[in-house]
Amino acid sequence: MLILGVETSCDETSLALLKAKCGKLELQKNLIFSQIKTHAKYGGVVPEVAARAHVEKIAMMLKDVLGKKTKPDVIAVTAGPGLATALLVGVETARTLGYLWKKPVVAVNHLAGHIYANWLYSKQIAFPALCLIISGGHTELVIMKKHLKYKLIGQTRDDAAGECFDKVGKILGLPYPGGPEVAKRATQGDTKAIKFPRPMIDSPDFDFSFSGLKTAILYYTKNHFKIDSSTPLRFARNDNTKKDKIIADICASFQQACIDVIITKTIAAAKKYKVKTILLGGGVAANSELQKQLKIAITDNLPKTKYTALPVEYCGDNAAMIAAAGYFHALKKQFIPWEKINADPNWDLA
Ligand code: KG4
Ligand code: ZN
C-alpha cells in the first residue's frame, strides 16, 4: 500500500510518500517546507499568511513528491486540530486528488500523527502505551491500549509547553520561534541559577499549567532588564556586560522547571497505568535535554518500560507521521468519502 500524506495544519507545508509492505513501513519521501522565515517578522504564525503560503507551495511539492510514481493507493490528510484556513488547503487538496484519482481518503487527527511518528522507525511498540504529546498547541498525556484508541488522562489547563517556550523567547527578545532558541541558550546556562516554580508538580492528577511559569519569567526579566519592545533587552542597572549569561541562566532554569514537571507527571502516569511503552511526540519533543532526562528517569523508575527517543526530524510537523497514522486507519478501512471530508480546527483526539 502506498500512502500519500498531506500536512498543512500550521506553518509547515508537508507531503510524504509511505510504502507499507507486510506491515513494514518504508518512508520514501518526506518533503517539508517551513514558513518560519515568513512568520518571524510578525513574531508568530499569522493564519491567513500561512494558508496563502500553503497554496503557493503545495502544487509544486505534489509534483516533487510523486515524481514518476503511479498514483498512491490512499490519501491521508490532517483534518484537525489546527488553523482553519491552513487546514483547508490540505483538505481541499486531498478532496480533489481523491475525486480525480478515485482513491480513498483518510482524515487524520494531527495529534494522532504526532503519536504515529513513532511507528516510522520503531517496529515493535507494545501496548498499553503512554503518549506524551508536547507541541506548540497541545500538552497531553494519552493512554493507548490498542491502535487508534486514545484515552486522555491529562492536559494543560492553560498554555501548551511549546507556547510557553515561545513566549519566554519573546520576553527575552530571542528570535522566533522561541522553543529551539531557548533550548540553545539553555546549554550555556545554569539550571539551578534561578528557582522558578514547577506548577502542579505535586497535584494528584496528570494535568499541567504553564502560564504561571511564563509570568514568573516575565517578572524576573522585568526586575533585571529594561523591557522595551522596540529595543533589545537592556539591564535595568545599566550593566549590559552580563546580559548573555543572565539570559542563558533564565533559559536553563526555565527549561529545567518545564522538564521537571513534564517528567514527574509522565513517570507517575506510566506507573499508575502500568504501561509497557512510553512514546513522545510534538515539536517540544525535539528538546534534547528533555529526551535525555526522560530516558534517565524511565531507566531509574521503570526499568521494564520501553522508551526510544523520537528522532528530531519526526518531532515537528511533517506529513510522514500523517501517512503513518493514515496507514493504520486504512487497514481498518476507515475512509471518508471525498465529498464529506472537512477541516475541524478543534478536533479533540480523545
Ligand atoms: O508540533 P509542532 O511542530 O507544531 C504544533 O503542532 O504546534 O511544535 C512546535 C512547537 C513550537 O512551540 C516550538 O517552539 C517548539 O515546538 N519547539 C521546541 C523545540 N523545538 C521546537 N521547544 C523546546 N525545545 C526545542 N528544542
Ligand atoms: Zn504539531
Coordinates of all heavy atoms in Angstrom, one line a residue, residues 128 130 270-271 274-278 298-299 301-308:
P128 N -0.2 -1.6 26.7 CA -0.6 -0.2 26.6 C 0.6 0.7 26.6 O 1.6 0.5 27.2 CB -1.4 0.0 27.9 CG -0.9 -1.1 28.9 CD -0.5 -2.2 28.0
L130 N 1.9 4.9 26.9 CA 1.6 6.2 27.4 C 2.2 7.2 26.3 O 3.4 7.1 26.1 CB 2.2 6.5 28.7 CG 2.1 7.9 29.3 CD1 0.7 8.3 29.5 CD2 2.9 8.1 30.5
A270 N 2.7 6.7 33.9 CA 3.2 5.4 33.5 C 3.1 4.4 34.6 O 2.7 3.2 34.3 CB 4.6 5.5 33.0
K271 N 3.4 4.8 35.8 CA 3.3 3.8 36.9 C 1.8 3.5 37.2 O 1.4 2.3 37.3 CB 3.8 4.5 38.2 CG 5.3 4.4 38.3 CD 5.8 5.0 39.6 CE 7.3 4.9 39.7 NZ 7.8 5.8 40.8
K274 N 0.4 1.3 34.4 CA 1.3 0.1 34.2 C 1.5 -0.1 32.7 O 1.3 -1.1 32.1 CB 0.6 -1.1 34.7 CG 0.4 -1.0 36.3 CD -0.2 -2.3 36.8 CE -0.3 -2.4 38.3 NZ -0.9 -1.3 39.0
V275 N 2.0 1.0 32.0 CA 2.2 0.9 30.6 C 3.5 0.1 30.2 O 4.4 0.0 31.0 CB 2.3 2.3 29.9 CG1 1.0 3.0 30.2 CG2 3.4 3.1 30.5
K276 N 3.5 -0.4 29.0 CA 4.7 -1.2 28.6 C 5.6 -0.3 27.8 O 6.8 -0.6 27.6 CB 4.3 -2.3 27.7 CG 3.5 -3.4 28.5 CD 3.4 -4.6 27.7 CE 2.8 -5.8 28.5 NZ 1.9 -6.6 27.8
T277 N 5.1 0.8 27.3 CA 5.9 1.7 26.4 C 5.5 3.2 26.7 O 4.4 3.5 27.0 CB 5.5 1.5 24.9 OG1 5.5 0.1 24.7 CG2 6.5 2.1 24.0
I278 N 6.5 4.0 26.6 CA 6.3 5.5 26.7 C 6.7 6.1 25.3 O 7.8 5.8 24.8 CB 7.1 6.1 27.8 CG1 6.6 5.6 29.2 CG2 7.0 7.7 27.8 CD1 7.3 6.1 30.4
I298 N 13.2 7.2 33.2 CA 12.5 5.9 32.9 C 13.4 4.7 33.3 O 12.9 3.8 34.0 CB 12.1 5.8 31.4 CG1 11.0 6.9 31.1 CG2 11.6 4.4 31.1 CD1 10.7 7.1 29.6
T299 N 14.7 4.8 33.0 CA 15.6 3.8 33.4 C 15.6 3.6 34.9 O 15.6 2.5 35.4 CB 17.0 4.1 32.9 OG1 16.9 4.4 31.5 CG2 18.0 2.9 33.0
N301 N 13.3 4.6 37.2 CA 12.0 4.4 37.9 C 11.2 3.2 37.3 O 10.4 2.6 38.0 CB 11.1 5.6 37.8 CG 11.7 6.8 38.6 OD1 11.6 6.8 39.9 ND2 12.3 7.7 38.0
L302 N 11.4 3.0 36.0 CA 10.5 2.0 35.3 C 11.4 1.2 34.3 O 11.3 1.3 33.1 CB 9.4 2.7 34.5 CG 8.4 3.5 35.3 CD1 7.8 4.6 34.5 CD2 7.4 2.6 35.9
P303 N 12.4 0.4 34.9 CA 13.4 -0.2 34.0 C 12.8 -1.2 33.0 O 13.4 -1.4 32.0 CB 14.3 -1.0 35.0 CG 13.6 -1.0 36.3 CD 12.6 0.2 36.3
K304 N 11.5 -1.6 33.2 CA 10.9 -2.6 32.3 C 10.2 -1.9 31.2 O 9.7 -2.5 30.2 CB 10.0 -3.6 33.0 CG 10.8 -4.6 33.9 CD 9.8 -5.6 34.4 CE 10.6 -6.5 35.3 NZ 9.7 -7.0 36.4
T305 N 9.9 -0.6 31.3 CA 9.2 0.2 30.4 C 10.0 0.6 29.2 O 11.1 1.1 29.4 CB 8.5 1.4 31.0 OG1 7.9 1.0 32.2 CG2 7.6 2.1 30.1
K306 N 9.5 0.4 28.0 CA 10.3 0.6 26.8 C 10.2 2.1 26.4 O 9.1 2.7 26.4 CB 9.8 -0.3 25.6 CG 10.8 -0.4 24.5 CD 10.6 -1.5 23.6 CE 11.5 -1.5 22.5 NZ 11.2 -0.7 21.4
Y307 N 11.3 2.7 26.1 CA 11.3 4.1 25.6 C 12.4 4.3 24.6 O 13.5 3.9 24.9 CB 11.4 5.1 26.8 CG 11.8 6.5 26.3 CD1 10.9 7.3 25.7 CD2 13.2 6.9 26.4 CE1 11.3 8.6 25.3 CE2 13.5 8.2 26.0 CZ 12.6 9.0 25.5 OH 12.9 10.3 25.0
T308 N 12.1 4.8 23.4 CA 13.1 5.1 22.5 C 12.9 6.5 22.1 O 11.8 6.9 21.7 CB 13.0 4.2 21.2 OG1 12.3 3.0 21.5 CG2 14.3 3.9 20.6

